[in-house]
Amino acid sequence: MQLSQQSKDAVNVTVLFFGAARDIVGHAEIKLLLQAGNATSALEELLEKFPELRRFGRSLLFAVNQEYAQPDQEIKDGDELAVFPPVSGGCAAQKNNSGETEAHATGTDIGTAGGAGSPAGQPRRGAVSPASSVANDFFELTTNPIDVGAVARRVVLPECGATVTLDGYAREWTRGRRTLYLVYEAYASMALSELQRLGREAHDRFEIAHLGIVHRTGRLEIGETSVVIAVSAPHRRAAFEACEWAIREVKRTVPIWKKEVFEDGEVWVEGEGKST
């Protein structure tokens, strides 16, 4: 009777692991039978099965069906769970030493997310029509080299007076260690939906016309572009503010991880995590 009840209460789930969490577990994807419950109990059950993950402490992130999980969220049969360390924003010291600059991307996309309108009932601050603005936003992941100028030109419109473009690229030195190359990994489907969410929020926060973000994954050599953010607006101040906000949010919430390969070893860059 006890075994029958246990089987009745259990749910079959797929669990994905990324970055350093995948290295610890030794698997990118596993199928598990978990006791039915909420996200909190499911994560605890995973930590009991893979206790080495506890080294991340409270910074370990958990997603259900490609969205950050709420503690009381119900886990259902067939759900896709994901466990990962903080995304690659880096600690405060690393951010101060970041290799990003303004500049002028495109390639064969492995994923693309189009924009969506602002939530019903929420007015935009921008001077440009919401429908025409968001329809031209773009959020992409690519394994190909990025043409920064091409990305910037995709957000240039007659009604805009300024386009601000950020070009983040691989630097050679980090805290006195020479980097040979970088490897970027993404939870692609969730990354694209999170980028799209950031796009909607950017339109609510700033008087901008268009926003485009292209992030590269895979191996990057020194000097190659990893991410481009391009923002156009009627006035330059809003474009600058939105671009700076967007890169901070990308590094804070979008599930993309960076591995730095040095002459004497390698390390996954762990950011500060997403506050909940």
Side-chain angles (χ1 to χ4, degrees):
M1 179 66 68
Q2 184 177 2
L3 290 177
S4 175
Q5 183 65 34
Q6 181 179 6
S7 176
K8 179 180 178 181
D9 292 341
V11 293
N12 288 287
V13 298
T14 300
V15 186
L16 308 179
F17 300 92
F18 294 94
R22 184 192 62 244
D23 291 350
I24 287 175
V25 172
H27 299 281
E29 177 180 331
I30 61 173
K31 305 288 186 180
L32 278 182
L33 191 65
L34 298 179
Q35 293 305 301
N38 57 27
T40 299
S41 61
L43 179 58
E44 184 57 35
E45 195 168 339
L46 286 168
L47 291 175
E48 289 178 4
K49 186 173 181 62
F50 303 106
E52 299 89 348
L53 291 173
R54 294 187 186 275
R55 81 165 181 83
F56 294 108
R58 295 173 62 87
S59 67
L60 189 69
L61 300 177
F62 190 49
V64 178
N65 297 329
Q66 302 166 22
E67 294 184 356
Y68 285 107
Q70 299 301 314
D72 59 351
Q73 184 172 347
E74 181 184 1
I75 303 299
K76 301 176 182 178
D77 195 66
D79 279 350
E80 179 182 277
L81 314 182
V83 179
F84 44 85
V87 299
S88 64
C91 66
Q94 289 171 318
K95 289 177 182 177
N96 291 336
N97 190 30
S98 64
E100 294 164 356
T101 185
E102 285 181 57
H104 355 280
T106 193
T108 302
D109 301 322
I110 60 174
T112 300
S118 300
Q122 289 191 11
R124 287 179 67 257
R125 295 172 52 199
V128 184
S129 158
S132 65
S133 293
V134 180
N136 289 295
D137 287 355
F138 54 92
F139 309 98
E140 300 166 3
L141 302 177
T142 180
T143 56
N144 287 355
I146 300 176
D147 179 343
V148 184
V151 173
R153 287 190 292 274
R154 290 169 69 180
V155 297
V156 173
L157 292 173
E159 63 264 37
C160 296
T163 297
V164 172
T165 306
L166 181 140
D167 171 14
Y169 49 85
R171 62 177 178 266
E172 186 174 9
W173 295 91
T174 300
R175 295 181 175 180
R177 299 178 73 184
R178 183 169 181 264
T179 302
L180 300 181
Y181 61 90
L182 303 179
V183 177
Y184 279 89
E185 173 184 319
Y187 183 6
S189 54
M190 183 176 174
L192 290 169
S193 64
E194 186 67 12
L195 286 171
Q196 187 173 352
R197 183 192 68 77
L198 294 182
R200 294 194 297 270
E201 186 174 347
H203 279 282
D204 289 337
R205 285 174 172 267
F206 307 99
E207 295 181 15
I208 62 174
H210 296 299
L211 170 67
I213 302 176
V214 180
H215 205 301
R216 190 172 169 190
T217 60
R219 174 168 170 161
L220 275 73
E221 304 301 329
I222 301 304
E224 290 190 309
T225 294
S226 60
V227 60
V228 174
I229 298 176
V231 184
S232 62
H235 306 286
R236 65 179 182 273
R237 180 174 179 179
F240 274 108
E241 291 176 345
C243 192
E244 183 178 12
W245 175 86
I247 189 61
R248 286 200 308 266
E249 292 301 298
V250 166
K251 287 176 170 289
R252 191 178 72 90
T253 72
V254 179
I256 298 175
W257 299 271
K258 177 175 69 176
K259 178 186 283 187
E260 292 185 293
V261 180
F262 302 104
E263 293 177 306
D264 56 351
E266 59 185 41
V267 63
W268 285 103
V269 176
E270 295 177 13
E272 298 172 326
K274 177 184 183 295
S275 59
T276 57

